[in-house]
Amino acid sequence: MALAEIALILCGLAAINNQIAVARASIDIGVNYGRQGNDLPSPDNVIQMYKKYGIGKMRLFKPEPSVLQALRGSQIDLVLGIANEDLPNLAASLDATHSWFATNVEPYLNDIQFTFIVAGNEVVPGNLAQFVLPVMQNMQNILTGKGLAAVKVSTSVAVSTLGQSYPPSQGAFSEDSKETMQGILKFLAAQGTPLLINAYPYLAYTSDPQDISLDYALFTANGPIVHDGNLSYSNLFDAMVDGFFSAMEQLGISNVGVVVSESGWPSAGNGNFTTPELAATYNRNFMKHILSGDGTPKRPGSYIEGFVFAMFNENQKPAGVEQNWGLFYPDMQPVYQVFPLQG
Ligand SMILES: *[C@@H]1O[C@H](CO)[C@@H](O)[C@H](O)[C@H]1NC(C)=O
Ligand SMILES: *[C@@H]1O[C@H](CO)[C@@H](O)[C@H](O)[C@H]1NC(C)=O
Protein backbone atom coordinates (compact mmCIF):
# COMPACT_ATOMS: atom_id res chain seq x y z
CA MET A 1 0.00 0.00 0.00
CA ALA A 2 1.28 3.45 -0.87
CA LEU A 3 2.19 5.70 1.97
CA ALA A 4 -0.39 8.25 0.85
CA GLU A 5 -3.15 5.64 1.09
CA ILE A 6 -2.13 4.66 4.59
CA ALA A 7 -2.12 8.31 5.54
CA LEU A 8 -5.63 8.66 4.10
CA ILE A 9 -6.89 5.67 6.06
CA LEU A 10 -5.33 7.03 9.24
CA CYS A 11 -6.96 10.39 8.62
CA GLY A 12 -10.28 8.66 8.13
CA LEU A 13 -9.90 6.79 11.40
CA ALA A 14 -8.96 9.98 13.19
CA ALA A 15 -12.06 11.65 11.76
CA ILE A 16 -14.25 8.78 12.94
CA ASN A 17 -12.66 8.90 16.37
CA ASN A 18 -13.21 12.62 16.51
CA GLN A 19 -16.85 12.24 15.64
CA ILE A 20 -17.35 9.66 18.35
CA ALA A 21 -15.52 11.87 20.81
CA VAL A 22 -17.65 14.88 19.88
CA ALA A 23 -20.92 12.95 19.96
CA ARG A 24 -20.16 11.60 23.40
CA ALA A 25 -18.31 14.66 24.54
CA SER A 26 -20.88 17.20 25.37
CA ILE A 27 -24.39 17.95 26.35
CA ASP A 28 -25.64 21.48 25.92
CA ILE A 29 -25.48 22.25 29.61
CA GLY A 30 -23.11 24.53 31.42
CA VAL A 31 -21.70 24.35 34.92
CA ASN A 32 -20.38 27.29 36.89
CA TYR A 33 -16.77 26.81 37.88
CA GLY A 34 -16.66 28.70 41.17
CA ARG A 35 -13.16 28.75 42.63
CA GLN A 36 -13.56 29.90 46.23
CA GLY A 37 -11.94 26.84 47.75
CA ASN A 38 -8.38 26.12 48.84
CA ASP A 39 -8.68 22.42 48.14
CA LEU A 40 -9.99 22.37 44.56
CA PRO A 41 -8.44 20.23 41.83
CA SER A 42 -6.02 21.77 39.35
CA PRO A 43 -7.60 23.50 36.35
CA ASP A 44 -6.28 20.70 34.11
CA ASN A 45 -8.09 18.12 36.21
CA VAL A 46 -11.23 20.24 36.21
CA ILE A 47 -11.21 20.44 32.42
CA GLN A 48 -10.81 16.65 32.31
CA MET A 49 -13.86 16.32 34.55
CA TYR A 50 -15.92 18.55 32.24
CA LYS A 51 -14.84 16.33 29.34
CA LYS A 52 -15.44 13.10 31.23
CA TYR A 53 -18.99 14.07 32.22
CA GLY A 54 -19.77 15.68 28.87
CA ILE A 55 -20.35 19.16 30.26
CA GLY A 56 -20.17 21.32 27.16
CA LYS A 57 -20.00 24.78 28.68
CA MET A 58 -18.27 26.54 31.54
CA ARG A 59 -18.95 29.82 33.26
CA LEU A 60 -16.05 31.49 34.98
CA PHE A 61 -16.75 34.49 37.23
CA LYS A 62 -13.53 36.26 36.32
CA PRO A 63 -10.53 35.58 34.13
CA GLU A 64 -7.95 33.26 35.67
CA PRO A 65 -4.88 32.63 33.52
CA SER A 66 -4.40 29.05 34.76
CA VAL A 67 -7.96 28.13 33.81
CA LEU A 68 -7.82 29.88 30.45
CA GLN A 69 -4.57 28.08 29.72
CA ALA A 70 -6.14 24.73 30.61
CA LEU A 71 -9.18 25.46 28.45
CA ARG A 72 -7.14 25.82 25.28
CA GLY A 73 -8.28 23.28 22.71
CA SER A 74 -10.83 21.72 25.11
CA GLN A 75 -13.84 22.61 22.93
CA ILE A 76 -15.67 23.71 26.06
CA ASP A 77 -17.58 26.93 25.40
CA LEU A 78 -16.72 29.67 27.86
CA VAL A 79 -18.85 32.34 29.49
CA LEU A 80 -16.30 34.71 30.98
CA GLY A 81 -17.16 37.23 33.67
CA ILE A 82 -15.68 40.63 34.30
CA ALA A 83 -15.19 40.85 38.08
CA ASN A 84 -17.61 43.24 39.77
CA GLU A 85 -14.76 45.25 41.27
CA ASP A 86 -13.32 45.92 37.79
CA LEU A 87 -16.51 47.54 36.49
CA PRO A 88 -15.82 51.18 37.53
CA ASN A 89 -12.40 51.19 35.92
CA LEU A 90 -13.59 49.59 32.68
CA ALA A 91 -16.64 51.85 32.50
CA ALA A 92 -14.43 54.92 32.75
CA SER A 93 -12.05 53.99 29.98
CA LEU A 94 -12.17 52.30 26.62
CA ASP A 95 -8.40 51.83 26.95
CA ALA A 96 -8.82 49.95 30.22
CA THR A 97 -11.50 47.77 28.62
CA HIS A 98 -9.22 47.16 25.69
CA SER A 99 -6.41 46.16 27.97
CA TRP A 100 -8.72 43.73 29.84
CA PHE A 101 -9.68 42.21 26.50
CA ALA A 102 -6.07 42.07 25.27
CA THR A 103 -5.02 40.25 28.45
CA ASN A 104 -7.91 37.91 29.04
CA VAL A 105 -9.53 37.13 25.71
CA GLU A 106 -7.39 37.98 22.72
CA PRO A 107 -4.49 35.56 23.44
CA TYR A 108 -6.95 32.67 23.63
CA LEU A 109 -9.23 33.38 20.68
CA ASN A 110 -7.75 30.66 18.51
CA ASP A 111 -8.23 27.93 21.12
CA ILE A 112 -11.23 28.90 23.22
CA GLN A 113 -14.77 29.61 22.05
CA PHE A 114 -15.90 32.56 24.15
CA THR A 115 -19.69 32.77 23.99
CA PHE A 116 -20.35 35.60 26.44
CA ILE A 117 -18.39 38.27 28.23
CA VAL A 118 -20.44 39.14 31.29
CA ALA A 119 -20.19 42.64 32.73
CA GLY A 120 -20.66 41.91 36.44
CA ASN A 121 -22.68 39.41 38.42
CA GLU A 122 -25.77 40.45 40.43
CA VAL A 123 -24.83 44.12 40.70
CA VAL A 124 -28.24 45.57 39.75
CA PRO A 125 -29.56 47.26 41.83
CA GLY A 126 -26.62 48.64 43.78
CA ASN A 127 -23.60 50.94 43.79
CA LEU A 128 -22.01 49.25 40.80
CA ALA A 129 -25.14 49.10 38.66
CA GLN A 130 -24.38 52.42 36.91
CA PHE A 131 -21.16 50.95 35.46
CA VAL A 132 -22.70 47.90 33.79
CA LEU A 133 -24.02 49.50 30.59
CA PRO A 134 -20.89 51.59 29.90
CA VAL A 135 -18.73 48.48 30.27
CA MET A 136 -21.02 46.54 27.96
CA GLN A 137 -20.81 49.34 25.39
CA ASN A 138 -17.02 49.57 25.61
CA MET A 139 -16.62 45.83 25.27
CA GLN A 140 -19.07 45.67 22.37
CA ASN A 141 -17.12 48.39 20.56
CA ILE A 142 -13.98 46.34 20.86
CA LEU A 143 -15.61 43.10 19.70
CA THR A 144 -17.36 44.80 16.80
CA GLY A 145 -14.13 46.48 15.78
CA LYS A 146 -12.45 43.11 15.65
CA GLY A 147 -15.33 41.44 13.82
CA LEU A 148 -15.95 39.02 16.69
CA ALA A 149 -19.70 38.67 16.24
CA ALA A 150 -19.83 35.26 17.94
CA VAL A 151 -18.84 36.73 21.29
CA LYS A 152 -21.79 38.38 23.01
CA VAL A 153 -21.75 40.94 25.80
CA SER A 154 -24.30 40.76 28.58
CA THR A 155 -24.68 41.00 32.36
CA SER A 156 -26.04 38.61 34.93
CA VAL A 157 -28.85 39.60 37.28
CA ALA A 158 -30.56 37.99 40.26
CA VAL A 159 -34.28 37.55 40.82
CA SER A 160 -33.93 40.34 43.40
CA THR A 161 -33.83 42.72 40.43
CA LEU A 162 -37.56 42.10 40.26
CA GLY A 163 -39.78 44.03 42.64
CA GLN A 164 -42.56 41.61 41.84
CA SER A 165 -42.20 38.11 40.42
CA TYR A 166 -45.55 36.55 41.25
CA PRO A 167 -47.81 35.82 39.50
CA PRO A 168 -45.48 35.54 36.50
CA SER A 169 -47.65 37.78 34.32
CA GLN A 170 -47.21 40.58 36.88
CA GLY A 171 -43.41 40.34 36.97
CA ALA A 172 -41.85 43.80 37.21
CA PHE A 173 -38.43 45.24 37.90
CA SER A 174 -38.08 47.00 41.23
CA GLU A 175 -38.12 50.80 41.32
CA ASP A 176 -34.39 50.94 42.00
CA SER A 177 -33.57 48.55 39.13
CA LYS A 178 -35.95 49.82 36.49
CA GLU A 179 -33.94 52.61 34.92
CA THR A 180 -30.69 50.65 34.79
CA MET A 181 -32.45 47.61 33.38
CA GLN A 182 -34.16 49.67 30.72
CA GLY A 183 -30.80 50.89 29.43
CA ILE A 184 -29.27 47.43 29.57
CA LEU A 185 -32.24 45.82 27.85
CA LYS A 186 -32.29 48.36 25.02
CA PHE A 187 -28.64 47.58 24.43
CA LEU A 188 -29.31 43.82 24.47
CA ALA A 189 -32.29 44.19 22.13
CA ALA A 190 -30.21 46.18 19.65
CA GLN A 191 -27.47 43.53 19.70
CA GLY A 192 -29.84 40.54 19.71
CA THR A 193 -28.18 39.31 22.90
CA PRO A 194 -29.95 37.60 25.80
CA LEU A 195 -29.96 38.75 29.43
CA LEU A 196 -28.31 36.37 31.89
CA ILE A 197 -30.45 35.60 34.92
CA ASN A 198 -29.72 33.66 38.09
CA ALA A 199 -32.84 31.75 39.08
CA TYR A 200 -33.01 29.70 42.27
CA PRO A 201 -36.32 28.00 43.08
CA TYR A 202 -34.50 26.74 46.21
CA LEU A 203 -34.36 30.28 47.59
CA ALA A 204 -38.02 30.99 46.87
CA TYR A 205 -39.13 27.65 48.27
CA THR A 206 -37.14 27.83 51.51
CA SER A 207 -38.31 31.38 52.14
CA ASP A 208 -41.94 30.25 52.01
CA PRO A 209 -42.29 26.46 52.38
CA GLN A 210 -45.83 26.90 53.72
CA ASP A 211 -47.15 28.29 50.46
CA ILE A 212 -44.82 26.72 47.90
CA SER A 213 -44.91 22.97 47.41
CA LEU A 214 -41.70 21.02 47.22
CA ASP A 215 -42.87 19.27 44.05
CA TYR A 216 -43.42 22.64 42.39
CA ALA A 217 -39.87 23.65 43.31
CA LEU A 218 -38.29 20.35 42.20
CA PHE A 219 -40.05 19.94 38.81
CA THR A 220 -41.82 16.85 40.20
CA ALA A 221 -45.44 18.07 40.20
CA ASN A 222 -47.75 15.93 38.10
CA GLY A 223 -49.74 18.80 36.69
CA PRO A 224 -50.30 22.54 36.85
CA ILE A 225 -49.91 24.13 40.29
CA VAL A 226 -50.24 27.81 39.45
CA HIS A 227 -52.78 29.23 37.01
CA ASP A 228 -52.05 32.69 35.73
CA GLY A 229 -54.51 34.02 33.17
CA ASN A 230 -54.51 31.53 30.31
CA LEU A 231 -51.13 30.08 31.30
CA SER A 232 -50.43 27.40 33.86
CA TYR A 233 -47.26 26.40 35.63
CA SER A 234 -46.15 23.04 36.94
CA ASN A 235 -42.77 24.26 38.10
CA LEU A 236 -41.44 27.32 39.90
CA PHE A 237 -38.47 27.67 37.59
CA ASP A 238 -40.66 28.48 34.59
CA ALA A 239 -42.65 30.90 36.70
CA MET A 240 -39.45 32.74 37.67
CA VAL A 241 -38.21 32.94 34.09
CA ASP A 242 -41.59 34.17 32.88
CA GLY A 243 -41.57 36.77 35.67
CA PHE A 244 -38.49 38.19 33.95
CA PHE A 245 -40.15 38.12 30.53
CA SER A 246 -43.13 40.01 31.95
CA ALA A 247 -40.84 42.56 33.61
CA MET A 248 -39.10 43.16 30.29
CA GLU A 249 -42.40 43.50 28.47
CA GLN A 250 -43.51 46.06 31.01
CA LEU A 251 -40.52 48.14 29.93
CA GLY A 252 -41.54 47.70 26.31
CA ILE A 253 -38.93 45.05 25.53
CA SER A 254 -40.33 41.85 24.11
CA ASN A 255 -37.48 40.55 21.97
CA VAL A 256 -34.70 39.86 24.48
CA GLY A 257 -34.13 36.23 25.43
CA VAL A 258 -32.66 34.85 28.63
CA VAL A 259 -29.84 32.52 29.54
CA VAL A 260 -30.08 30.98 32.98
CA SER A 261 -26.54 31.63 34.15
CA GLU A 262 -27.11 30.02 37.57
CA SER A 263 -29.52 27.56 39.06
CA GLY A 264 -29.03 24.77 41.56
CA TRP A 265 -29.80 23.30 44.95
CA PRO A 266 -27.43 22.83 47.89
CA SER A 267 -26.91 19.35 49.27
CA ALA A 268 -26.31 20.30 52.93
CA GLY A 269 -26.36 23.13 55.43
CA ASN A 270 -30.08 23.77 55.93
CA GLY A 271 -31.58 20.71 57.60
CA ASN A 272 -33.94 18.62 55.55
CA PHE A 273 -34.27 21.31 52.87
CA THR A 274 -30.80 20.41 51.71
CA THR A 275 -30.11 16.74 51.17
CA PRO A 276 -28.14 15.10 48.38
CA GLU A 277 -31.41 13.50 47.20
CA LEU A 278 -33.23 16.84 46.84
CA ALA A 279 -30.21 18.46 45.20
CA ALA A 280 -29.87 15.54 42.78
CA THR A 281 -33.57 15.68 41.92
CA TYR A 282 -33.51 19.42 41.28
CA ASN A 283 -30.33 19.49 39.25
CA ARG A 284 -31.26 16.46 37.17
CA ASN A 285 -34.68 17.88 36.39
CA PHE A 286 -33.30 21.34 35.74
CA MET A 287 -30.86 19.97 33.16
CA LYS A 288 -33.53 17.80 31.52
CA HIS A 289 -35.85 20.78 31.35
CA ILE A 290 -33.15 22.87 29.68
CA LEU A 291 -32.27 20.08 27.24
CA SER A 292 -35.93 19.50 26.36
CA GLY A 293 -36.02 22.87 24.59
CA ASP A 294 -39.61 23.24 25.79
CA GLY A 295 -39.18 26.87 26.78
CA THR A 296 -41.64 28.30 29.28
CA PRO A 297 -45.42 28.81 29.16
CA LYS A 298 -44.89 32.41 28.00
CA ARG A 299 -42.26 31.44 25.42
CA PRO A 300 -43.05 27.84 24.47
CA GLY A 301 -40.41 26.15 22.37
CA SER A 302 -37.80 28.85 22.87
CA TYR A 303 -34.50 27.29 23.78
CA ILE A 304 -33.06 28.62 27.02
CA GLU A 305 -29.43 27.92 27.84
CA GLY A 306 -28.76 26.82 31.41
CA PHE A 307 -25.83 26.63 33.80
CA VAL A 308 -25.83 24.68 37.05
CA PHE A 309 -24.35 26.30 40.11
CA ALA A 310 -21.81 24.86 40.83
CA MET A 311 -19.11 22.41 39.95
CA PHE A 312 -17.59 22.08 43.46
CA ASN A 313 -18.33 22.57 47.11
CA GLU A 314 -16.28 25.66 47.95
CA ASN A 315 -14.81 25.82 51.45
CA GLN A 316 -13.84 29.49 51.37
CA LYS A 317 -17.44 30.64 51.14
CA PRO A 318 -19.50 31.40 54.28
CA ALA A 319 -20.12 28.28 56.38
CA GLY A 320 -23.34 26.34 55.87
CA VAL A 321 -25.44 26.21 52.72
CA GLU A 322 -23.04 28.43 50.79
CA GLN A 323 -20.32 25.81 50.92
CA ASN A 324 -22.56 23.05 49.62
CA TRP A 325 -23.76 23.92 46.14
CA GLY A 326 -21.34 21.63 44.34
CA LEU A 327 -22.08 18.67 42.10
CA PHE A 328 -18.63 17.40 43.15
CA TYR A 329 -16.44 17.33 46.21
CA PRO A 330 -12.99 18.87 45.85
CA ASP A 331 -11.59 15.33 45.62
CA MET A 332 -13.53 15.05 42.32
CA GLN A 333 -16.04 12.50 43.65
CA PRO A 334 -19.71 13.25 42.92
CA VAL A 335 -21.75 14.54 45.89
CA TYR A 336 -24.65 12.67 44.25
CA GLN A 337 -25.24 11.05 40.92
CA VAL A 338 -26.45 13.30 38.11
CA PHE A 339 -24.30 12.26 35.16
CA PRO A 340 -24.96 10.70 32.78
CA LEU A 341 -28.39 12.28 32.49
CA GLN A 342 -30.97 9.57 31.93
CA GLY A 343 -33.99 10.40 29.78
C1 LIG B 1 -53.47 34.54 26.57
O1 LIG B 1 -53.59 35.78 27.25
C2 LIG B 1 -52.81 36.80 26.69
C3 LIG B 1 -52.86 38.02 27.62
O2 LIG B 1 -54.17 38.26 28.04
C4 LIG B 1 -53.27 37.10 25.27
O3 LIG B 1 -52.47 38.11 24.70
C5 LIG B 1 -53.11 35.82 24.45
O4 LIG B 1 -53.61 36.02 23.15
C6 LIG B 1 -53.87 34.67 25.11
N1 LIG B 1 -53.54 33.44 24.39
C7 LIG B 1 -54.44 32.53 24.10
C8 LIG B 1 -53.95 31.32 23.39
O5 LIG B 1 -55.61 32.64 24.40
C1 LIG C 1 -38.68 18.63 56.90
O1 LIG C 1 -39.19 18.17 58.13
C2 LIG C 1 -40.41 18.80 58.54
C3 LIG C 1 -40.74 18.32 59.95
O2 LIG C 1 -40.72 16.92 60.01
C4 LIG C 1 -41.49 18.45 57.51
O3 LIG C 1 -42.70 19.06 57.88
C5 LIG C 1 -41.07 18.95 56.16
O4 LIG C 1 -41.99 18.55 55.17
C6 LIG C 1 -39.68 18.39 55.78
N1 LIG C 1 -39.24 19.05 54.58
C7 LIG C 1 -38.66 18.41 53.58
C8 LIG C 1 -38.23 19.24 52.42
O5 LIG C 1 -38.47 17.21 53.58
Side-chain angles (χ1 to χ4, degrees):
M1 212 186 302
L3 219 56
E5 284 178 78
I6 295 173
L8 266 178
I9 290 168
L10 288 178
C11 279
L13 283 176
I16 290 167
N17 275 334
N18 268 339
Q19 272 171 15
I20 292 168
V22 169
R24 192 200 52 189
S26 56
I27 53 175
D28 200 7
I29 286 288
V31 178
N32 283 270
Y33 178 16
R35 289 172 42 82
Q36 295 185 46
N38 60 12
D39 53 357
L40 298 179
S42 73
D44 282 323
N45 284 335
V46 175
I47 303 303
Q48 280 167 22
M49 291 174 70
Y50 274 67
K51 300 295 281 182
K52 172 178 172 186
Y53 293 105
I55 304 164
K57 304 185 285 197
M58 174 187 289
R59 175 170 176 234
L60 202 54
F61 289 91
K62 59 180 186 194
E64 317 232 20
S66 63
V67 179
L68 293 169
Q69 202 57 41
L71 275 166
R72 284 187 191 274
S74 66
Q75 296 183 306
I76 295 167
D77 286 352
L78 182 63
V79 173
L80 181 60
I82 297 171
N84 293 349
E85 60 268 25
D86 289 341
L87 294 174
N89 189 28
L90 269 55
S93 151
L94 186 57
D95 278 351
T97 309
H98 200 278
S99 140
W100 189 98
F101 176 84
T103 305
N104 301 310
V105 178
E106 206 158 31
Y108 305 97
L109 280 171
N110 286 338
D111 310 309
I112 299 176
Q113 179 58 60
F114 294 85
T115 52
F116 287 93
I117 296 176
V118 184
N121 184 46
E122 301 192 351
V123 296
V124 183
N127 295 339
L128 294 173
Q130 59 181 306
F131 303 115
V132 171
L133 181 58
V135 172
M136 290 169 72
Q137 288 165 331
N138 282 346
M139 190 59 75
Q140 188 65 56
N141 281 342
I142 291 165
L143 293 169
T144 305
K146 292 185 180 292
L148 293 169
V151 189
K152 305 282 187 189
V153 182
S154 192
T155 188
S156 180
V157 298
V159 172
S160 54
T161 309
L162 301 179
Q164 183 172 352
S165 61
Y166 183 87
S169 62
Q170 301 305 305
F173 290 107
S174 65
E175 283 308 317
D176 50 358
S177 300
K178 204 172 270 181
E179 206 178 309
T180 311
M181 289 310 298
Q182 179 120 44
I184 291 170
L185 288 164
K186 277 186 180 161
F187 170 93
L188 293 173
Q191 299 294 332
T193 301
L195 175 70
L196 274 56
I197 65 173
N198 297 340
Y200 287 102
Y202 165 80
L203 296 176
Y205 167 66
T206 53
S207 73
D208 190 7
Q210 257 71 45
D211 292 319
I212 300 175
S213 84
L214 184 60
D215 282 333
Y216 185 59
L218 292 176
F219 297 92
T220 49
N222 287 324
I225 302 285
V226 166
H227 296 274
D228 180 17
N230 55 13
L231 301 180
S232 55
Y233 292 84
S234 62
N235 68 79
L236 178 51
F237 173 83
D238 279 349
M240 285 180 146
V241 174
D242 278 357
F244 270 99
F245 284 130
S246 297
M248 293 192 222
E249 284 171 7
Q250 208 200 49
L251 296 182
I253 309 270
S254 56
N255 56 349
V256 171
V258 302
V259 166
V260 177
S261 43
E262 295 177 27
S263 195
W265 197 288
S267 61
N270 187 11
N272 65 353
F273 290 136
T274 49
T275 64
E277 292 72 26
L278 294 179
T281 301
Y282 180 83
N283 281 323
R284 225 182 271 132
N285 289 340
F286 166 68
M287 288 191 265
K288 282 185 193 164
H289 188 58
I290 293 295
L291 291 172
S292 74
D294 287 345
T296 64
K298 248 180 112 64
R299 303 277 165 92
S302 69
Y303 176 66
I304 294 174
E305 279 190 71
F307 291 74
V308 176
F309 187 88
M311 192 65 177
F312 297 106
N313 284 346
E314 295 170 70
N315 69 358
Q316 290 175 320
K317 295 192 133 188
V321 169
E322 285 305 315
Q323 296 190 355
N324 291 287
W325 289 91
L327 300 174
F328 295 93
Y329 293 109
D331 69 1
M332 304 196 274
Q333 293 307 305
V335 178
Y336 42 82
Q337 204 67 45
V338 284
F339 298 114
L341 279 181
Q342 245 90 50

